[in-house]
Amino acid sequence: MTTTTNHSIKALFFDFAPSNTVKIQEMIQDLPFLEIDGSVYCLDKLEERILENNVNLVIINVCLKLASGKFSPDLTIERIKLINPDCKIMLCKSHIGPLLRKVYLHQGFDWVVDKSTELKKLPKIMEEISNEMTLEEIMIAC
């Protein structure tokens, strides 16, 4: 007998160094509403996986510069949203003050998590994200 699990979140990590993502993945991998689709290390692979696997949350654990350029937040967000406009994007970054958090949210990230102070809250944050996504699905179906 096959059991199917309904995951409201299908997450994909984007990081240049796989070892940086391991701790975050370990913290959330057993959440019942979450399926982790692995990690990718370049934008082209990120786009492929979003398209192929219907990813609805990208967790970015990359040091993105605020200015425009190859690894700028605006370019990364634009490429993700071009593939899947409904995909949510979380930025995990250390030592983010209130002003920098506002800037990142204004640029288009849906959530910004400060790894230096909020990492232990990540399972709860993921639960809130799952609840939001489930509510959006219900509203769309009506």
Side-chain angles (χ1 to χ4, degrees):
M1 184 167 123
T2 305
T3 305
T4 58
T5 306
N6 187 14
H7 300 287
S8 58
I9 300 175
K10 188 163 190 178
L12 177 64
F13 283 87
F14 176 47
D15 194 344
F16 296 145
S19 60
N20 293 340
T21 303
V22 171
K23 183 177 180 179
I24 297 171
Q25 282 187 1
E26 288 174 351
M27 291 183 72
I28 62 175
Q29 69 186 0
D30 295 327
L31 297 174
F33 48 81
L34 173 68
E35 178 184 349
I36 297 176
D37 191 44
S39 299
V40 293
Y41 313 107
C42 71
L43 281 172
D44 292 337
K45 287 290 182 191
L46 178 68
E47 291 172 347
E48 282 177 27
R49 293 280 282 282
I50 291 170
L51 208 82
E52 291 171 0
N53 299 339
N54 297 317
V55 169
N56 61 3
L57 175 66
V58 173
I59 301 171
I60 298 178
N61 191 35
V62 173
C63 183
L64 296 172
K65 306 296 182 202
L66 289 175
S68 293
K70 185 175 181 182
F71 299 114
S72 66
D74 54 343
L75 176 64
T76 304
I77 292 166
E78 180 181 316
R79 288 179 70 171
I80 292 168
K81 293 293 187 177
L82 187 64
I83 303 285
N84 179 357
D86 297 323
C87 189
K88 304 296 182 186
I89 307 169
M90 174 189 287
L91 176 66
C92 293
K93 192 169 172 62
S94 295
H95 307 291
I96 299 173
L99 181 59
L100 190 54
R101 180 184 302 272
K102 284 183 180 179
V103 169
Y104 280 122
L105 290 169
H106 180 73
Q107 284 183 318
F109 289 101
D110 297 290
W111 298 276
V112 178
V113 175
D114 188 331
K115 294 186 294 188
S116 61
T117 60
E118 299 173 327
L119 201 54
K120 290 182 180 177
K121 299 176 189 175
L122 194 55
K124 181 69 175 159
I125 293 168
M126 296 301 287
E127 183 178 357
E128 291 170 9
I129 293 169
S130 174
N131 291 339
E132 271 185 43
M133 288 181 163
T134 303
L135 183 60
E136 285 178 11
E137 289 173 8
I138 291 169
M139 292 173 65
I140 290 170
C142 290

